[in-house]
Amino acid sequence: MKMKKKTLDQIRRQITRVRAAGGFYAKRLKNIDPEDIQSQADFEKLPFSEKADLRDAYPLGLSAVPASEIVRIHSSSGTTGTPCIIPYTKKDVEDWAELFRRCYEIAGITKDDRIHITPGYGLWTAGIGFQLGAEKLGAMAIPMGPGNTDKQIQFMKDMGSTVLCATSSYALLLAEEIEKRKCRDRIKLTKGVIGSERWGPKMRARIASELGVELFDIYGLTEVYGPGIAINCEYETGMHYFDDFLYFEVIDPKTGKVLPDGELGELVITTLQKEGAPLIRYRTHDLTRIIPDDVPCPCGRKLPRIDVILGRTDDMVKVKGVNIFPGQVEDVLKDIEGASSEYQIFIDHENGKDKITLFVETPLKTKKARRALEKTIKDRIKSVINVGVVPMAVEIGDLPRSEKKTTRVFDYRY
Ligand code: ZN
């Protein structure tokens, strides 16, 4: 995507500011003169930053303002123990509320809605972001937080909640509990705003039909405000994001090269207005693509779009010289009739060549139907991912399930 001139100005200003502030980016960019950033190509030479950098800056090394300007901190969990602390100024908090308000608006939510918020409150940015946006919109926020299903359903009925904000797994649990209690007719929900975890299209369809609501994927991460930086509209052509606040790039996670629009890779975010903790070329490790803008969204918004998050780029494997992401395989399978969402990829080295076997569960029973399905899968994977696979259709339930994160790729080459 071509960078706007205004974006380039915003980036130059931000670099000037972080260099003057001391802290992490002053060190990282000490040899960069903002005036040397005159084009998108110049910008794309700037170094990336990573979660590890943010952790190393613990506690407040990321801050680009005097401590007296910080009105709040949030923290994202670090798997290695040290958390990342993200400081917010008053303007950052207001901006986040505005971004979230826009998200609700894109989802068709208005001030007449009653927004039932189940994500948690606290250091984590989830619940409070949903609330700020609701209040800014002028809707009624119902700040439930997670857990206590009985109370959730009671409040949904009594308060007449019209919008449910939840993770996909909690939305599904609530849907099942409503069904169990046979009280669907007393629930007024019309929309679900679902964020924070990756969820397949099949789970999405289940939540939508069981709750009887229209669903919206909301995207965000604590390092960049929190949830509320991108959302799909009713046409589901990807998630619209706000390019006056954020600059998105998609890169090849191995080489760091910026990819053309439409190609799948890692989302990299640069903040354009953040004061407390600006980020420059922050690697999210989220797998997505920028939706080419040659076909505008039917909603008429000029906002750019990214695809729904298809997984983490850390799961990437390189086979036959091609980068393959499990999320990408899943994306192809979801459009193939007869293929379920359960699959596994086995990579082997045979006769001096890499071989990919793709096991896919199917409800199809006859040998003929399964052979036809395998051929479709083979052709579709070849045309989309440009790699040859040997598909094997297997019975539903044949592939092992795991409680925790499902392993999709088994690499036996080494
Ligand atoms: Zn749209």
Side-chain angles (χ1 to χ4, degrees), residues 98-110 137 191 193 214-218 228-242 297 299 301-305:
E98 167 60 14
L99 294 171
F100 219 123
R101 185 197 65 77
R102 292 184 192 174
C103 283
Y104 282 138
E105 202 177 67
I106 289 173
I109 296 165
T110 71
L137 182 69
K191 290 185 167 116
V193 178
E214 192 181 359
L215 290 180
F216 298 88
D217 297 272
I218 194 155
I229 63 171
I231 194 167
N232 65 277
C233 69
E234 66 202 287
Y235 295 100
E236 296 186 8
T237 60
M239 299 187 286
H240 290 287
Y241 66 92
F242 308 105
C297 185
C299 76
R301 290 184 180 87
K302 295 276 185 288
L303 298 167
R305 286 163 289 163

Side-chain angles (χ1 to χ4, degrees), residues 259-277:
L259 296 172
D261 293 355
E263 278 189 34
L264 211 51
E266 177 176 344
L267 178 66
V268 171
I269 301 180
T270 297
T271 64
L272 302 174
Q273 301 204 30
K274 220 156 179 256
E275 294 180 338

Side-chain angles (χ1 to χ4, degrees), residues 385-399:
I385 310 179
N386 197 24
V387 74
V389 299
V390 181
M392 299 283 274
V394 297
E395 200 74 21
I396 296 280
D398 268 7
L399 297 174

Side-chain angles (χ1 to χ4, degrees), residues 25-44:
Y25 278 109
K27 267 179 246 140
R28 174 65 52 99
L29 303 177
K30 70 173 184 295
N31 298 321
I32 310 281
D33 181 346
E35 287 317 305
D36 289 345
I37 317 282
Q38 290 300 334
S39 66
Q40 182 169 356
D42 294 337
F43 170 77
E44 289 174 1

